[in-house]
Amino acid sequence: MITQTDKAYLEQARLEALDGLAEGGYPVGAVLVDGNQAIATGRNRSNQTGDMTAHAEIDCLRNAGAAVEREGLTLYTTMSPCEMCSGAVIRFGITRVVIGDAVSFAGDPDHLRRHGVEVEVVNDPDCMALMEG
């Protein structure tokens, strides 16, 4: 179930995506949350850095540093994670992922679910609009 808190963090991820777009990148953003505290944010930086692994979720996890080793974290992402990002979610034991848009890029939320990750797909119109432009 999506809460008002979830919506607020998804909006924070959307703002990260807009920052990435303004930098010339793909409009994808992410926020990592422990309880009710954001511990890291990230955005897709592939174009800006020439690093094809610099997806929003990976950027966010890099920014979290050692904090990513905590249990019970939630990752908010404006777009469904790709296989690489899903693998990182599973590897670091992130227990919940909230996806803003699983239409523009479907990803494989069921892969996350099969590995015990709780997945919420919102298909938020504002997140979906990011990729329409």
Side-chain angles (χ1 to χ4, degrees):
M1 179 167 81
I2 299 299
T3 67
Q4 286 303 114
T5 300
D6 290 331
K7 291 177 184 178
Y9 284 121
L10 199 54
E11 175 62 13
Q12 187 176 352
R14 193 182 73 79
L15 294 175
E16 280 292 321
L18 290 173
D19 287 346
L21 182 62
E23 296 171 353
Y26 295 106
V28 183
V31 177
L32 189 63
V33 174
D34 184 3
N36 284 325
Q37 180 180 352
I39 58 173
T41 61
R43 55 185 167 262
N44 188 299
R45 296 178 191 270
S46 296
N47 282 348
Q48 300 92 309
T49 64
D51 176 359
M52 297 314 295
T53 68
H55 291 191
E57 299 88 347
I58 300 299
D59 186 51
C60 185
L61 296 175
R62 287 176 180 154
N63 291 336
V68 77
E69 297 290 340
R70 299 179 191 170
E71 292 185 15
L73 301 178
T74 298
L75 180 68
Y76 294 85
T77 180
T78 58
M79 182 178 288
S80 190
C82 71
E83 293 85 356
M84 176 182 69
C85 296
S86 292
V89 165
I90 293 163
R91 162 62 183 88
F92 290 109
I94 295 168
T95 57
R96 184 170 181 253
V97 175
V98 178
I99 299 169
D101 174 6
V103 173
S104 299
F105 177 77
D108 190 357
D110 286 335
H111 177 69
L112 291 169
R113 289 181 183 110
R114 285 190 300 273
H115 284 86
V117 179
E118 178 187 343
V119 178
E120 299 281 351
V121 177
V122 178
N123 285 332
D124 175 78
D126 292 332
C127 288
M128 294 169 71
L130 290 168
M131 294 308 288
E132 291 172 5

